[in-house]
Amino acid sequence: MQTSLLKAEGLEKSFLEGNKETFVLRDISVSFSQEKTYGITGVSGTGKSTFIQLLAGLDAPTSGTVSFNDQLLNKMTPQEHERFLQKNVGLIFQLPYLIKELSVLENSMLPAIIAGASEQEARDTALTLLDQVGLSDKIDACPASLSGGQQARVALARALANRPAFLLADEPTGNLDEQTGKEIISILLSLQKEWGMGLIISTHDSYVAEAMEIRYRLHDGFIEPRD
Ligand SMILES: Nc1ncnc2c1ncn2[C@@H]1O[C@H](COP(=O)(O)OP(=O)(O)OP(=O)(O)O)[C@@H](O)[C@H]1O
Ligand SMILES: [Mg+2]
């Protein structure tokens, strides 16, 4: 299997506040390899979420590029970008954003259905993932009846539905107690090993950062390696 590479080069992002241009990210160049785990830390407002969004191509950089296996995200057609998101990137946001009208199982089946899998395939995959995240007994529940940690697990199963090359997670443990957060990270790490999936996690939690092989810190718009 090819080892995929997600690469930022000279990435900059600024926002206009009135007439003033404020840079959130400056000249960020970093390569993320599949089969490795990365933690991105930085105090609130340093651009972690902005960086994750840029890596997924959900937002456009002010300058610089993001590429996936040498294919530039900003040169992809909307269809190519959609396919990239479906096949190669799983996303976890700080809030689970589950669809409240759908059951746990249906929420978890959705990405595979959208990517063109049959209902049976999508169901089988979702059932396996929900079992791996410890939610086999909740498949028919509606999201609102779940605890925060259980909702985070559904979001995890959903992000993994198409076996992405990379999982990008923006503070996946941000709203969880330490015990539940540790369980989520341990599930992620074991799936990461089993599948050889790249893991890029932004986090405030030192136990999450410490569980990653490679750590970076965002500071004053720049990225730097940290211990
Ligand atoms: N759409 C936008 N318009 C203007 N400014 C923005 C926009 N999005 C983000 N910013 C600014 O960019 C900076 C970085 O925001 P970002 O959400 O990436 O930080 P963060 O490191 O994820 O913070 P937190 O740890 O609180 O989640 C903040 O100062 C924010 O106000
Ligand atoms: Mg954030």
Side-chain angles (χ1 to χ4, degrees), residues 4 74 87 90 115 175:
S4 292
N74 63 351
K87 293 274 170 208
N175 293 318

Side-chain angles (χ1 to χ4, degrees), residues 13-17 22 24-25 42-51 59 94 170-171 202 204 218:
K13 182 71 183 177
S14 62
F15 294 105
L16 277 180
E17 287 170 42
T22 307
V24 177
L25 301 174
V43 297
S44 178
T46 46
K48 299 181 298 298
S49 298
T50 305
F51 187 41
D59 197 358
Q94 197 165 350
D170 190 10
E171 301 204 36
S202 90
H204 275 128
L218 284 170

